[in-house]
Amino acid sequence: MRIRHKAKHLFLIVLCTAVMFLQTGCWSKDEIEDQSIYVGMGLDPASESRLEKQFRKEGSDYRKRKLLTYTLQIINVQSENQRGGGQTASSQKPYYNISETGDSMFQLIREFSTRMERPVIGHHLKVIVINERLARKYSMNELLDFFLRDNDIRPSCQVLVSKGSARGTMVAKDNTVIPSLRLYGLIDNRYRSLSILEPMTLSKLEGKMHGEQSYLLQNVIAADGEVKFSGSSIIKGKTQRLQGILNEEETIGSVWLMGNGKGGLVKSYHENRQPVVYEVKGMKSKITSKVAGDDISFHVSIESKGRLIEEWANTNETIDSAFRKQVEEATEKEVRRLTSLALKKVQKQYGIDVLGFGKQFSIQHPRKWEKIKDRWEEIFPEIPITVSIDMEITEYGAKITR
């Protein structure tokens, strides 16, 4: 019995020791204060900064082509330490931007080691912003290859396109905002606006690039230290280059056609030209394809339920079924206008299927798809597409109804 008790006691000691080694914790010998953590990056056409030019003038140069300028946004640890010490504000910005110009992403990142005492690490990278002109000139495969290979960079990182300087989207007016985190936060506001597309992460992009699929990327514009999501970029599947731009209304029309919006509003006008606003509480769309011999056609059915959230046309009267019907019809008319704008630009002007028609056709008619998939971009612009829209008002807020 005594031997058995000792064996049991020894087993418990070994087990506890093993559990201690398996506990999560920081195993790295590198303290966070000794790292330069970058949370955002911008890619622009080559444009050397004044500092880079001065370095080169002093003899700092190496073999490279000036293809692009790479900007990292790095957390200012000293500023954050001041805030953590109980100060409500800091005289320093909570971030700083550093740029290099060249032709190799990896080389540019390592080049920062010759300028900074703390090595840069990308474990917390949130957003990559690509300049529109750069996206037209180079494919996504070329621009993002390094980021997809680098184990330090998480595949959940979001990719955006800037209309103008990508570096400009990484500047804030005051000392309380980290611009890259601001961009990342805007993406989470999809439940508030139909202008914000479904997030495009590196992992999603990798699948689309390998499958040569066409898709939309969210556009961001910057002015005076402020940013705004406005419109989207059409990326062509075979080339993976930016082929065209959708404005804000065309982007919203695309969201309705894809049926993947989380929330937002539709503003229309009553018969007396007063605004009425429908708040989207839910939406869905269904793409149905039909084949008759060699003829192909599509029908998109869009359904939505929502709330009458604002109206100037009937403010002092109760809402009856007739008025509700008028508002529903006005809202349907507006959504039809938006979807028509999107189809005109996507299908007729660019002939690039970023809305998923080809994917649905391949599911519904796989044998026919195998015959035409290589010619899809030639066929798609000529295919008839009809749209039906059904909007239902289910809530009125505190307004009296009858």
Side-chain angles (χ1 to χ4, degrees), residues 115-371:
R115 297 173 55 182
M116 304 171 64
E117 70 277 16
R118 300 185 182 94
V120 294
I121 58 170
H123 302 91
H124 299 283
L125 178 63
K126 300 299 184 184
V127 291
I128 299 172
V129 184
I130 303 173
N131 186 292
E132 175 192 342
R133 289 193 293 136
L134 205 64
R136 289 184 185 274
K137 188 173 182 180
Y138 302 104
S139 71
M140 290 294 152
N141 306 75
E142 294 170 314
L143 294 173
L144 299 176
D145 179 76
F146 162 70
F147 308 115
L148 292 169
R149 293 174 185 270
D150 189 357
N151 292 331
D152 284 350
I153 295 175
R154 296 176 181 177
S156 59
C157 174
Q158 310 285 346
V159 180
L160 305 170
V161 174
S162 66
K163 296 190 68 177
S165 168
R167 182 185 174 103
T169 67
M170 297 189 175
V171 177
K173 285 182 178 179
D174 54 44
N175 298 343
T176 62
V177 176
I178 298 176
S180 295
L181 301 186
R182 174 178 60 184
L183 289 174
Y184 192 76
L186 286 177
I187 297 169
D188 292 335
N189 288 337
R190 289 184 63 225
Y191 74 101
R192 308 283 289 182
S193 173
L194 295 173
S195 302
I196 304 175
L197 292 176
E198 192 173 18
M200 188 62 74
T201 62
L202 281 175
S203 58
K204 287 183 182 179
L205 268 177
E206 185 175 21
K208 291 183 180 296
M209 289 189 292
H210 284 306
E212 294 188 343
Q213 299 176 36
S214 300
Y215 49 91
L216 294 173
L217 287 178
Q218 183 76 58
N219 282 354
V220 57
I221 55 178
D224 298 327
E226 300 287 345
V227 294
K228 181 184 179 181
F229 283 173
S230 180
S232 53
S233 294
I234 296 174
I235 308 298
K236 188 173 182 178
K238 288 187 176 180
T239 64
Q240 287 298 307
R241 295 185 183 185
L242 191 152
Q243 194 71 25
I245 298 292
L246 299 185
N247 64 28
E248 196 162 338
E249 287 194 330
E250 292 160 350
T251 299
I252 294 173
S254 298
V255 170
W256 278 108
L257 289 165
M258 292 185 289
N260 59 5
K262 291 296 184 182
L265 62 90
V266 180
K267 183 186 71 175
S268 58
Y269 294 92
H270 191 254
E271 293 174 351
N272 58 8
R273 302 183 66 81
Q274 294 296 333
V276 288
V277 181
Y278 170 93
E279 183 182 13
V280 178
K281 307 305 291 182
M283 66 186 298
K284 62 180 180 179
S285 70
K286 182 179 179 181
I287 298 175
T288 306
S289 58
K290 185 178 180 181
V291 177
D294 291 333
D295 296 330
I296 300 171
S297 61
F298 285 105
H299 179 75
V300 185
S301 58
I302 297 172
E303 297 179 5
S304 174
K305 293 184 178 182
R307 175 190 295 142
L308 178 57
I309 194 68
E310 182 182 10
E311 51 94 3
W312 292 28
N314 196 39
T315 52
N316 295 320
E317 300 178 19
T318 57
I319 297 173
D320 57 18
S321 58
F323 181 75
R324 184 190 69 183
K325 186 65 176 176
Q326 290 175 5
V327 175
E328 288 174 343
E329 289 177 351
T331 305
E332 289 170 3
K333 183 179 178 181
E334 175 63 10
V335 174
R336 187 176 301 279
R337 183 184 74 86
L338 294 170
T339 55
S340 296
L341 289 174
L343 284 173
K344 183 178 179 181
K345 181 66 74 71
V346 169
Q347 186 192 22
K348 299 302 181 182
Q349 181 172 336
Y350 294 116
I352 299 175
D353 180 15
V354 293
L355 303 176
F357 287 97
K359 180 180 179 180
Q360 291 302 315
F361 189 84
S362 68
I363 294 170
Q364 296 167 17
H365 304 278
R367 292 184 181 178
K368 182 69 173 178
W369 174 253
E370 287 299 317
K371 295 178 181 179

Side-chain angles (χ1 to χ4, degrees), residues 4 23 25 36 61 141 206 220 308 388 396-397:
R4 184 180 299 176
Q23 292 298 306
S36 293
D61 203 5
N141 306 75
E206 185 175 21
V220 57
L308 178 57
S388 63
Y396 304 88

Side-chain angles (χ1 to χ4, degrees), residues 38 41 62 70 72 98-101 104-122 146-147 150-152:
Y38 61 90
M41 62 175 61
Y62 55 93
Y70 183 86
L72 292 184
I98 184 169
S99 299
E100 276 285 336
T101 300
S104 164
M105 304 286 188
F106 187 57
Q107 185 179 36
L108 293 178
I109 282 225
R110 289 302 175 89
E111 193 65 19
F112 290 129
S113 300
T114 66
R115 297 173 55 182
M116 304 171 64
E117 70 277 16
R118 300 185 182 94
V120 294
I121 58 170
F146 162 70
F147 308 115
D150 189 357
N151 292 331
D152 284 350

